[in-house]
Amino acid sequence: MLNKYTLIILVFTVFISCKKEDRKIAQNTSKNTVHVDPFIGTGGHGHTYPGATVPFGMLQVTPVNGISSWDWCSGYHYSDSIAVGFSHLALSGTGIGDLADVLFMPINKEVDLSATPLSRDSLAYKSKYNHKNEKASPGYYQVFLEDHNVNVELTTALRTAYHKYTFKKEDKQAVVIDLGFAINWDRVLKSSITIEDDYTISGYRFSKGWAANQKVFFVAKFSKPITKHHIFTDGNRIEHQSSEGEKTSVQLFFDANNSSQLFTKVALSSVSIENAKDNLETGDFNFETIKTEAENTWNDALTKIEVETSVDSLKTIFYTAMYHAQLAPVTYSDKNGQFRKENDEIVTAENYTAYSTLSLWDTFRAEHPLLTLTAPNKVSDIINTMLAYYETKKILPVWTLYANETNTMTGYHSIPVIVEAYKKGIRGFDAEKAFEAMKTTMMQDERGLNHYKKHGYIPYSLLDESVTITLEYAYDDWCVAQMAKALGKNDDYEFFLNRSKAYQHLFDNETGFMRGKSEDGKSWNEPFDPKHSNHREQTDYTEGNAWQHSWFVPHAVNDFIKLHGSNEVFTNRLEQLFTESSEITGDNVSADISGLIGQYAHGNEPSHHIAYMFNHANQPWRTQYWARYIMNTQYNTTPNGLSGNEDCGQMSAWYALSSIGLYPMNPASGDYEIGSPIFEKATIKISEDKSFVIKAEQVSDKNIYIQSATLNGETYNQTSISHKQIMQGGTLHFVMGNQPNKNWGITNN
C-alpha cells in the first residue's frame, strides 16, 4: 500500500511542478492577491468562473463559452476557446447550471440577430480566444477576442460592473446585448430593451431555470453616444427605441473616430429598472480606479487569515481557496434594501444586507464556519436573509438561488448555520424567531419528514435516498436541540435530542454500514453492495454509496463508535474506507463521486468530515496522516486544481481550514478538530489589536505529525479547540515530526 501512495504522490508532484500552461494571473502589487489564481477550478469538474467580482458581490462579470453542459455550469470551462460574451451573474462551482444573465459582447462588424441560434456555432457574434491572451486576478479579468480584434477588460464594484473595450484603430465599434441567450437549465420567458438616451439603455430579463422565477432588471451607461441601434425581438427587426417580447437583443454602434476605447458600466436589480439605476455607481468611467478598489477590497478580505511558508505553491492554493470561499453567498438586496422573493413580494432588508446563492447542503460544513472567523459581520445578515425567506412558505431555506427555493439536496442545513452562529456568540438576529423557524421547519411534513416523524427514520420503500436524508435530519434535530437548550426550552431540548438518535435505526452492526431499512423496522434493503451508486434514483444514498454516507453522525461520534463495538473496530473500518479499492459499481454511477482515495470521495461534501473522526477514537495521528494526504493529492495550482465541484466555497473552505490545522467536524458544536497544519505560521485576525496564531515548528512535507502542543505556553493535549478559545486570542504552538506521537491527544475514556 505504501508503494501505491508513493507513486500517487510522485505523479502529483510532477503534475503540479509543470508549467501553468498558457494562462496568466494578472499581477498586482497587493500583498495576498498576488497569490490568487482564479483559473484554479475552471478545469476538470471544479465548475468555477474566472471573471471579476468582489467579496460576496452582487455581480459576477465573467466570460461565457456558450455551451450547455455539466462542466460549463459556471458558463466557462478552461478546455474551451470560444467566447460568446460576458454575463453579469454566474455560479461558482455548482452542479446545476443557471444564470449567465444579461450578455454583452463587443464586436467589430454588423450582424443579423434575427435568427434563432441552434447552438453557439450559429451565433454571429462569437469569437475565438487564446489562454495566452487571457488574464485574471481578484476583481479583474482580461481577454483578447481574436475574431473581433477587441481587448476586453472587466472589473466591478459591489453592485456595478465596469467594462473596458479596446478596438483596433478604425474598426467598427459595436456591442451586442442578447437577453434571449441562455445556457443549461435557464430559459428566457420575457425580455425588454429600451434606448433611454444617447448614452443609456435599460431593460429586463425574466427567466425560468433552476431558479423558477428569476427577474433581472438592468441599466447600462456608455462612455460614448450611441450612433445607431438595431433591436430584434423574436426574430423581427424593431424600428423603435424600445421593444419587449420573449427574446430581445440589440446591437449598439458607436463612433470609432475619437477613441479606440469604449467603456460601459452596468447595474442590476431583482426589483426594478429604477432600483438598477439607483444601484449604478455615479461618476465617470475610471476603470483603473475601480480595478484598484476591487483589488484593495480583496486584499483586505485575504488578510483575515495570513499564512507563512517558503513553498509558493501552498500560498497559491491557500489564498485561492480563501478567494473562492468569499465568492458566495452573493449580495442580493439593492442599495435601498429592497429585494424580490420567489412569490414576487418586494421586501426591504432593514439594517442588514440580503444574500442569495445559499448552497447550504455543501456550505454548512466548512464555508459557513470559516465565515464565523473571517466575516462574522456577514453571518447575522445571512441568517436574517434566511428568516426572510422562511416567511414565504414557513420553511427554512434548503438551496436558495436568486431568492428561489430550489429544494436541491437533502436536509435543512440553514439550521446548523443558525445554531453555530448563536453558539459562537454571533447575535444581530432574533434568536426566538430563529428557533421558531427551526422548530416549525423540522415539524412539517414535506421532503420525507412525515415518514421520519412516524417511524423515527425514513423507510427505503417510501423515499429515495432514505439513509442520507435520515442521517441529515438527525443532525438537524440535534442542532435544534442545542438551540432549545441555549434558550431554556427544556421540553423542546429533550424532544429533539431524542429524535436526533435516528441514526441508530439504520446502523447494521454486521456490516458496519448505514443501510436502508424496511417500513416494519425488521429487515434491510437487499441486495446490498456498499460500493454501488445509482445517481439520485432508486437509491438509499445521495450522490454516493454506503461507504461514503455511513459516517454522518457528527453530533454523536462517541455513541457512533460504541455502535461499532470499540475504538479498534471503528478505526479499522475507518481506515478501510481510505484503503479499499476505488471501484464504484452500478450502471448509473453519480458523476459527483470524484477525488477518490479508496472509497473516500473528497470531490463531494459527504466525505469532508470523515478524516477527523479518528480524533474521537484515540488515533489522532491517523487524522493527521489522512488530512495531510487529502491536502496533498486533492488540490493543486492547475485549472484542474479541485477534485470536484467547488460548491460555492465548500471545497475551498475545507482546504483553508484544514491547512491551518483546524476543521469543524460538527459545525454547530462551536469546536474545531485539530488535524495537521501545513504552514509554519498562520495568523487569524480577530480584531485590529487581537490575533490567534497557529505555529507549526519543524513542519514540512514529511513532518506531518504533531509531537506536542502548547496553548499560550501551557501544555495542550486535546484534539479539538473551541471557537471561544480562538476568539480570546493567543498562540497555539505545535512541534511537528515525521513519526506519529501516539501519546499526544489521547484520552482515557
Side-chain angles (χ1 to χ4, degrees):
M1 197 58 65
L2 287 175
N3 290 336
K4 172 187 171 185
Y5 294 155
T6 303
L7 178 61
I8 291 173
I9 292 172
L10 178 62
V11 171
F12 168 76
T13 303
V14 171
F15 181 55
I16 66 169
S17 65
C18 292
K19 179 184 173 185
K20 290 188 180 180
E21 302 178 36
D22 295 321
R23 77 191 189 284
K24 298 178 184 177
I25 309 170
Q27 300 294 312
N28 55 60
T29 58
S30 299
K31 182 180 177 185
N32 292 332
T33 51
V34 74
H35 300 295
V36 175
D37 183 354
F39 291 106
I40 291 176
T42 60
H45 301 316
H47 296 184
T48 62
Y49 61 83
T53 189
V54 293
F56 314 104
M58 175 178 274
L59 303 180
Q60 307 84 43
V61 56
T62 187
V64 176
N65 294 135
I67 285 181
S68 292
S69 184
W70 189 56
D71 278 332
W72 279 259
C73 280
S74 74
Y76 176 99
H77 194 264
Y78 196 78
S79 64
D80 214 328
S81 59
I82 300 292
V84 302
F86 305 90
S87 66
H88 293 80
L89 295 173
L91 290 164
S92 178
T94 59
I96 299 177
D98 202 336
L99 304 185
D101 291 68
V102 189
L103 190 79
F104 278 46
M105 184 63 165
I107 63 175
N108 64 351
K109 60 185 178 182
E110 186 172 322
V111 292
D112 182 4
L113 300 176
S114 63
T116 300
L118 300 177
S119 69
R120 76 169 180 183
D121 293 338
S122 55
L123 287 172
Y125 50 79
K126 70 180 186 299
S127 174
K128 296 189 298 293
Y129 65 92
N130 192 301
H131 292 308
K132 291 180 180 179
N133 299 314
E134 183 184 34
K135 299 177 184 177
S137 65
Y140 176 72
Y141 175 83
Q142 174 272 326
V143 71
F144 180 74
L145 301 176
E146 296 178 359
D147 290 351
H148 306 310
N149 285 315
V150 180
N151 190 59
V152 176
E153 296 177 80
L154 308 171
T155 191
T156 184
L158 183 65
R159 293 185 176 89
T160 301
Y162 289 75
H163 302 232
K164 177 184 177 182
Y165 307 140
T166 304
F167 293 84
K168 186 178 179 181
K169 191 175 181 180
E170 298 180 355
D171 265 10
K172 189 184 294 290
Q173 296 182 14
V175 177
V176 169
I177 300 166
D178 190 347
L179 302 185
F181 173 82
I183 55 172
N184 291 311
W185 288 36
D186 184 45
R187 178 171 65 86
V188 66
L189 301 175
K190 186 179 180 182
S191 61
S192 172
I193 291 174
T194 297
I195 311 296
E196 294 208 352
D197 57 42
D198 288 347
Y199 295 89
T200 311
I201 69 165
S202 63
Y204 60 77
R205 183 182 189 276
F206 301 167
S207 62
K208 178 180 178 62
W210 191 13
N213 179 26
Q214 189 194 4
K215 291 182 168 68
V216 180
F217 300 85
F218 77 96
V219 63
K221 280 190 174 293
F222 294 88
S223 60
K224 293 180 180 182
I226 301 166
T227 57
K228 69 174 180 176
H229 66 272
H230 297 160
I231 296 179
F232 296 84
T233 298
D234 299 331
N236 299 310
R237 172 87 173 267
I238 307 298
E239 301 297 334
H240 299 289
Q241 297 292 103
S242 180
S243 183
E244 67 177 9
E246 181 182 333
K247 296 181 179 181
T248 307
S249 58
V250 65
Q251 183 170 16
L252 307 173
F253 299 88
F254 302 87
D255 188 348
N257 293 325
N258 58 355
S259 170
S260 62
Q261 293 183 338
L262 174 66
F263 298 87
T264 183
K265 53 184 178 179
V266 183
L268 310 184
S269 167
S270 68
V271 175
S272 65
I273 290 172
E274 287 305 310
N275 274 21
K277 291 178 179 178
D278 189 43
N279 288 340
L280 189 72
E281 291 205 344
T282 58
D284 58 19
F285 296 87
N286 196 330
F287 185 91
E288 290 302 320
T289 298
I290 301 301
K291 176 188 171 187
T292 299
E293 289 175 355
E295 290 172 352
N296 291 341
T297 300
W298 271 115
N299 192 58
D300 181 61
L302 295 171
T303 59
K304 302 303 182 184
I305 302 178
E306 296 202 74
V307 298
E308 297 178 20
T309 178
S310 59
V311 184
D312 286 344
S313 62
L314 293 181
K315 284 185 180 178
T316 298
I317 296 170
F318 176 80
Y319 284 111
T320 303
M322 287 287 288
Y323 167 80
H324 280 145
Q326 297 177 80
L327 297 183
V330 300
T331 297
Y332 183 60
S333 54
D334 292 332
K335 188 177 177 182
N336 65 7
Q338 291 184 326
F339 61 97
R340 180 185 299 271
K341 292 164 68 174
E342 64 179 308
N343 62 356
D344 283 322
E345 179 186 2
I346 306 300
V347 295
T348 302
E350 300 285 356
N351 301 315
Y352 72 94
T353 298
Y355 290 89
S356 192
T357 311
L358 299 172
S359 180
L360 293 162
W361 186 80
D362 310 290
T363 56
F364 86 91
R365 304 167 196 265
E367 159 80 359
H368 286 282
L370 179 63
L371 296 185
T372 67
L373 292 170
T374 61
N377 60 320
K378 300 224 173 3
V379 174
S380 59
D381 283 6
I382 292 169
I383 292 171
N384 279 316
T385 305
M386 292 174 178
L387 297 179
Y389 295 152
Y390 163 77
E391 292 299 334
T392 308
K393 297 177 180 176
K394 295 301 180 183
I395 300 174
L396 280 166
V398 175
W399 209 124
T400 305
L401 175 60
Y402 225 75
N404 282 241
E405 179 54 81
T406 68
N407 272 316
T408 302
M409 308 311 295
T410 48
Y412 285 101
H413 300 316
S414 303
I415 291 171
V417 172
I418 296 169
V419 177
E420 175 191 26
Y422 193 78
K423 289 198 72 172
K424 289 182 173 180
I426 294 173
R427 298 298 183 259
F429 61 94
D430 186 333
E432 290 289 344
K433 180 180 178 181
F435 178 77
E436 172 204 317
M438 290 188 284
K439 180 179 177 180
T440 302
T441 297
M442 291 306 294
M443 293 304 293
Q444 47 92 19
D445 290 333
E446 292 188 15
R447 292 162 47 87
L449 274 170
N450 54 336
H451 307 309
Y452 179 79
K453 290 189 296 184
K454 178 180 178 181
H455 298 278
Y457 63 96
I458 299 175
Y460 70 83
S461 59
L462 301 182
L463 190 67
D464 279 346
E465 305 179 346
S466 62
V467 172
T468 298
I469 297 171
T470 296
L471 296 178
E472 293 187 9
Y473 282 161
Y475 179 62
D476 292 339
D477 274 342
W478 182 86
C479 293
V480 178
Q482 302 314 300
M483 192 71 169
K485 184 178 182 180
L487 297 176
K489 302 178 186 295
N490 292 327
D491 289 345
D492 287 323
Y493 169 72
E494 294 293 342
F495 175 82
F496 285 103
L497 185 66
N498 182 64
R499 216 170 68 166
S500 74
K501 298 174 184 176
Y503 62 89
Q504 295 176 354
H505 292 288
L506 301 187
F507 182 74
D508 175 15
N509 187 54
E510 184 175 333
T511 63
F513 292 102
M514 296 288 183
R515 296 182 56 184
K517 181 166 273 190
S518 63
E519 194 170 354
D520 64 13
K522 296 177 181 178
S523 59
W524 303 110
N525 192 2
E526 299 285 359
F528 177 65
D529 174 4
K531 294 183 178 180
H532 186 267
S533 165
N534 196 35
H535 185 64
R536 306 310 304 265
E537 59 183 21
Q538 296 180 334
T539 179
D540 294 335
Y541 311 97
T542 302
E543 296 181 353
N545 61 25
W547 270 114
Q548 291 133 26
H549 282 266
S550 291
W551 307 95
F552 191 72
V553 191
H555 58 292
V557 182
N558 293 338
D559 180 67
F560 184 37
I561 293 171
K562 290 177 183 176
L563 288 181
H564 282 267
S566 67
N567 281 346
E568 183 179 11
V569 173
F570 178 79
T571 53
N572 285 343
R573 286 171 173 169
L574 195 52
E575 187 75 10
Q576 188 181 353
L577 168 72
F578 291 94
T579 58
E580 183 72 21
S581 79
S582 294
E583 177 193 15
I584 307 295
T585 60
D587 298 326
N588 184 31
V589 172
S590 176
D592 296 280
I593 303 175
S594 61
L596 284 165
I597 303 170
Q599 286 288 313
Y600 173 92
H602 193 71
N604 208 18
E605 281 67 26
S607 288
H608 279 191
H609 70 290
I610 299 175
Y612 291 90
M613 300 184 91
F614 287 103
N615 276 356
H616 287 254
N618 272 346
Q619 288 195 12
W621 62 91
R622 300 313 293 163
T623 282
Q624 294 156 35
Y625 175 85
W626 286 114
R628 181 64 75 93
Y629 188 86
I630 295 164
M631 284 183 266
N632 286 347
T633 60
Q634 302 301 306
Y635 298 84
N636 63 63
T637 60
T638 74
N640 293 353
L642 297 172
S643 61
N645 296 169
E646 163 65 7
D647 283 318
C648 298
Q650 170 58 27
M651 196 69 67
S652 290
W654 186 96
Y655 186 91
L657 287 168
S658 292
S659 65
I660 65 172
L662 306 176
Y663 191 77
M665 184 187 70
N666 173 5
S669 70
D671 295 331
Y672 303 87
E673 298 294 324
I674 292 173
S676 178
I678 66 172
F679 300 111
E680 287 92 343
K681 183 179 179 182
T683 302
I684 303 171
K685 185 177 180 182
I686 297 167
S687 64
E688 288 300 321
D689 56 358
K690 187 191 296 185
S691 295
F692 186 80
V693 177
I694 301 171
K695 292 184 177 180
E697 184 180 338
Q698 299 176 15
V699 71
S700 69
D701 58 345
K702 294 183 177 63
N703 292 348
I704 67 173
Y705 296 106
I706 296 171
Q707 306 299 299
S708 62
T710 59
L711 179 61
N712 300 327
E714 300 291 328
T715 298
Y716 198 78
N717 198 43
Q718 301 175 40
T719 59
S720 66
I721 187 169
S722 71
H723 186 81
K724 183 178 180 181
Q725 287 173 297
I726 292 173
M727 289 298 102
Q728 291 170 348
T731 300
L732 180 60
H733 185 175
F734 298 108
V735 176
M736 309 298 289
N738 63 6
Q739 296 296 319
N741 176 1
K742 296 185 179 181
N743 293 316
W744 184 83
I746 303 303
T747 60
N748 295 320
N749 55 357

